[in-house]
Amino acid sequence: MALLEIRNLHAHVEGNEILRGINLTVNAGEVHSIMGPNGSGKSTLAQVLAGKDAYEITEGEVIYNGKDLLDMEPDERACEGVFLAFQYPVEIPGVSTNYFLRAAVNAKRKHHGQDELDAVDFLELVKEKAALVELDSKLLNRAVNEGFSGGEKKRNEIFQMSVLDPTLAILDETDSGLDIDALKTVAHGVNTLRGPERAMIVVTHYQRLLDYIVPDFVHVLREGRIVKSGGKELALELEAKGYAWVDEEIKTAAAAS
Amino acid sequence: MPDASNTLEQWEKQEYKYGFVTDIEADAAPPGLNEDIIRFISAKKREPEFMLEWRLKAYRHWLTMTEPTWANIKYPPINYQDIVYYSSPIKDEDRPKSLDDVDPKLLETYEKLGIPLAERAALAGVAVDAVFDSVSVATTYKKKLGELGIIFCSFSEAVHEHPELIKKYLGTVVPYTDNFFATLNSAVFSDGSFVYVPKGVHCPMELSTYFRINAQSTGQFERTLIIADEGAHVSYLEGCTAPMRDENQLHAAVVELIAHKDATIKYSTIQNWYPGDKNGVGGIYNFVTKRGICAEENSRISWTQVETGSSITWKYPSVVLKGDNSVGEFYSVALTNLCQQADTGTKMIHIGKNTKSTIISKGISAGRGQNTYRGGVRINKGASNARNYTQCDSMLIGEDCGAHTFPYIEVKNTSAHMEHEASTSKIGEDQLFYCNQRGIKLEDAVSMIVNGFCKEVFRELPMEFAVEAQKLLEVSLEGSVG
Ligand SMILES: Nc1ncnc2c1ncn2[C@@H]1O[C@H](COP(=O)(O)OP(=O)(O)OP(=O)(O)O)[C@@H](O)[C@H]1O
Ligand SMILES: [Mg+2]
């Protein structure tokens, strides 16, 4: 059974159809990359999977771990192992990153019937993971993302991901805004998490990230549909030829059939 | 010192002259307000003549006043002749005998708020004798304070034991002519607290625990007077997070603070009176006048309040900065949910040179709550180099609530340095989703975000109360989203 099965997913926002029939199967152990031009619906797909209620699902279904994902509240999805690294991480003034993350860890533990982590155990866990993504531990005492630089915010997302240890991680343009060194550390954090139990969906515009996080599959999203899928070489091809090339391909294919 | 029983005798002689008919043995005055009732109250409390005179002056002045209408609050007219202005403290035999006799719902809330077991009984109004050793706790405190020369007692007690201090200070910050509600309070006040910290003494404990145990008997017209003499320091905490119910809908308290040279008074309030049901029925009307004076140089007065209760809150804890280099502070969290209305803020009046004031106000509106910040800063002509920093933030939760801001600034000295920041935000869908996406439940996310929003105020509260205040917000916001 696949870890994630998206079938004919349609989603609207404010009367506009953004996702127009997405089909995607993700097995445990796989890394899928989603590419596509601005506005094609990549973030929308990520947010719909995470459960943002601004989107109205008009058709289709999503099965995660054998359960109806769309039927679950966002916090329940998170506790069941779905993690979204946001394209635009949100600031929460007055709430320290440590406090926030401990609440998150304990919510998940509670959900699985485990005891809550005490402050000491939690700090130990956090220290290890912060070192992994080279996140300055001073940031952990500051309010969540408040005044963080763009790169710090992205690093913080990957840091949270490694602490929360998800089953399905969705990374929405985690690479944008990162300098080359940061990109490598972030990729290292992600790769550490790769394993046979886990799957990842990595949204990016740049082939560069995929040099470090090598995907098993690459999909091209265009106007709310996956129009092309392939192996990791597809990303290289896209980089060289641009999205117009995909459009040409599709046209040619349509003419031939 | 005037003898209390003498006063009573004198008064009894005047009975006919004033047509007094109320039975002095009665436990309560009949409803309504007239000079006889005021005499009755004063006699019941065996007050000295000067106190009665003061009450009567206030009453006569009150008759010339009209209820203010400028506040951004709506309520049906109050009939002041329907109110019972005196009733004896509840007798022990009328109190619940033990926690078993207390409404389980109330106990559940105490539990949620994390109120220590030992205090729950006292708060629920269980007869004091039955409450562990609260009496001896109080006595121990009193003894310790007494050794330092600190006077901490009920207002009534102070009237008898320290009339010279009452005469010297009562009404010096909030005169009996001050405003409709303060004047009413001056005429009919029931009881309250009195604190005097002598020269150079730093009060070694929060004056709170003792007060909490005694909070039951202060009645609806509370009067508090706190004096910190030269170089003295005191931190005082009023109220508690436990929901307080009261048969009396109208509450009109007065608090006066006097800080002498180099003295500091920190006054913290947690107010959680019954807010009424979801249609606003039955909640407390809380019309409070709180003011402090930094009478001499280098003195400091700091008000911190967390207001979550009452159906109506009308309250502007203020500071008169008379002494040079004096400092006034106001930190406030006001939360309105259900149908609650709060019109609250502060006034900082700069008279002395180099005076400094800070105002941080956080208003949270949920449900159909209406939250108004009303703040005044006045820099007088002689107040050179005065500084004020005002930050006033509002947060809205839901579609049916409101936030309003009325800052008034009057600057008569050009050397003044004024800073004002204000913001209004809706609790962010994005913030909530971000928390949810990390596994945090909606209600927990709301209280986390709201507590973060209030952080600058909470950190001004004494430690243990900061924790309680956070829980209180959580409980007060229950059911406001989702
Ligand atoms: N809340 C919303 N209201 C209106 N339109 C929306 C909303 N959310 C998304 N859209 C629209 O949906 C389309 C897809 O947006 P989405 O953010 O998913 O694109 P994307 O593929 O992630 O783009 P980018 O590469 O720029 O991040 C865009 O045209 C966007 O304007
Ligand atoms: Mg996007």
Side-chain angles (χ1 to χ4, degrees), chain A residues 47 51-52 75 78 82-84 86 90-91 93-95 100 103-104 107 145 157 160, chain B residues 429-431 433-442 448-449 451-453 455 470 474:
Chain A
Q47 306 246 357
K52 177 135 182 162
D75 52 294
V82 176
F83 181 91
L84 171 62
F86 285 69
V90 178
E91 302 187 358
V95 178
F100 172 77
N145 292 321
E157 293 294 286
Q160 292 180 44
Chain B
E429 289 296 322
D430 290 344
Q431 289 176 329
F433 179 59
Y434 191 75
C435 294
N436 288 163
Q437 208 304 302
R438 298 301 185 248
I440 299 164
K441 286 196 183 347
L442 194 58
M448 186 185 275
I449 293 166
N451 277 317
F453 175 73
K455 187 145 198 181
Q470 287 198 15
E474 242 161 71

Side-chain angles (χ1 to χ4, degrees), chain B residues 1 41-42 44-48 50-52 54-55 142 151-174 176 182 185-196 210-211 214-215 217-219 221-227 236 252-258 267 289 291:
Chain B
M1 199 176 97
I41 296 169
S42 191
K44 269 291 195 187
K45 300 167 93 48
R46 301 180 169 272
E47 286 178 348
F50 84 89
M51 203 62 258
L52 173 63
W54 199 74
R55 286 178 182 274
K142 262 196 123 157
I151 303 168
F152 180 30
C153 61
S154 74
F155 197 93
S156 307
E157 217 177 314
V159 168
H160 290 287
E161 307 286 326
H162 309 283
E164 70 296 342
L165 288 173
I166 300 283
K167 271 188 200 158
K168 183 169 172 194
Y169 290 106
L170 178 67
T172 56
V173 193
V174 181
Y176 70 81
N185 173 290
S186 303
V188 303
F189 66 86
S190 27
D191 209 335
S193 302
F194 177 82
V195 178
Y196 173 81
Y210 170 76
F211 178 79
N214 286 272
S217 53
T218 49
F221 299 101
E222 203 175 318
R223 182 119 203 161
T224 293
L225 177 57
I226 299 177
I227 302 132
Y236 185 88
V254 172
V255 176
E256 296 180 274
L257 309 182
I258 295 122
Y267 191 107
T289 304
R291 195 175 303 145

Side-chain angles (χ1 to χ4, degrees), chain A residues 17 22 55 75 109 191 201 238:
Chain A
E17 186 169 46
I22 302 267
Y55 303 97
D75 52 294
R109 292 181 68 93
N191 287 328
I201 297 174
L238 280 171

Side-chain angles (χ1 to χ4, degrees), chain A residues 43 87 172-173:
Chain A
S43 293
Q87 182 174 5
D172 192 359
E173 292 199 30

